[in-house]
Amino acid sequence: MLLLAVDTATPAVTVALHDGESVLAESNQVDARRHGELLLPSVDKVLAEAGVKLEAVTGIVVGVGPGPYTGLRVGLVTASTFATVLGVPVHGLCTLDGLAYAAGAAGIEGPFVVATDARRKEVYWARYEDPRTRVAEPAVDRPADIADQVVGLPAVGQGALLYPDVFTGAREPEHQSAAALASLAVERLAAGQEFLPPTPLYLRRPDAQVPKNYKVVTPQ
């Protein structure tokens, strides 16, 4: 087994390589505006550090969000392209689940909350019973609107750190980790669990939309 994991659903451009036993190499950079520029060089770096060729990869793991439209699709398109070229499966995982798994490695047991920055003064979030068990589907809300649901709970992710008045138990990790995502995928593969398709989990419409009263002009 040799899994290449990528996630661009948050400001973190994160890549990792996992051989089924441990993480061989990883790269983590935080830049919300340069996902497209940073992802492929990060993949090259991780492969080089591990001393393997891309052709040796047996599966792709990708975070499917929730996340903003532009950044999220960079990782998904790249993962799907690699999978097609290599003829290997691509395994989708909720980005929040990866953060929850990383929180468990950092010592959080549960229950707790994962929240990432959704912009527009909102967060993508979900509650967890433990680092491997999400208790509800991810949602997007204004922090003040969910204050009564998260009060007193430990919370991880950039969204929690941005709104400490609501997420009073905010703590690290702040950003997504492809290493954690890959480790979670290894566990789920071993257990025979299903994965998500490599399609984006947006939770809301993209920022770019066709203006109202837009007139389509076709040639005569």
Side-chain angles (χ1 to χ4, degrees), residues 1 3 18 20 101 131-132 181-193 195:
M1 177 187 294
L3 297 178
H18 201 298
Y101 191 90
R132 295 170 179 80
L181 201 70
S183 298
L184 176 59
V186 168
E187 286 193 9
R188 292 192 176 183
L189 283 168
Q193 297 177 351
F195 288 82

Side-chain angles (χ1 to χ4, degrees), residues 157-217:
Q158 188 182 40
L161 293 170
L162 283 173
Y163 302 99
D165 291 345
V166 172
F167 298 96
T168 55
R171 62 182 72 178
E172 299 287 345
E174 178 178 1
H175 295 293
Q176 173 68 312
S177 161
L181 201 70
S183 298
L184 176 59
V186 168
E187 286 193 9
R188 292 192 176 183
L189 283 168
Q193 297 177 351
E194 294 185 356
F195 288 82
L196 298 172
T199 54
L201 182 60
Y202 291 134
L203 300 188
R204 68 183 183 203
R205 296 174 61 85
D207 291 335
Q209 299 182 26
V210 177
K212 293 181 179 179
N213 302 320
Y214 178 76
K215 294 183 179 180
V216 177
V217 179

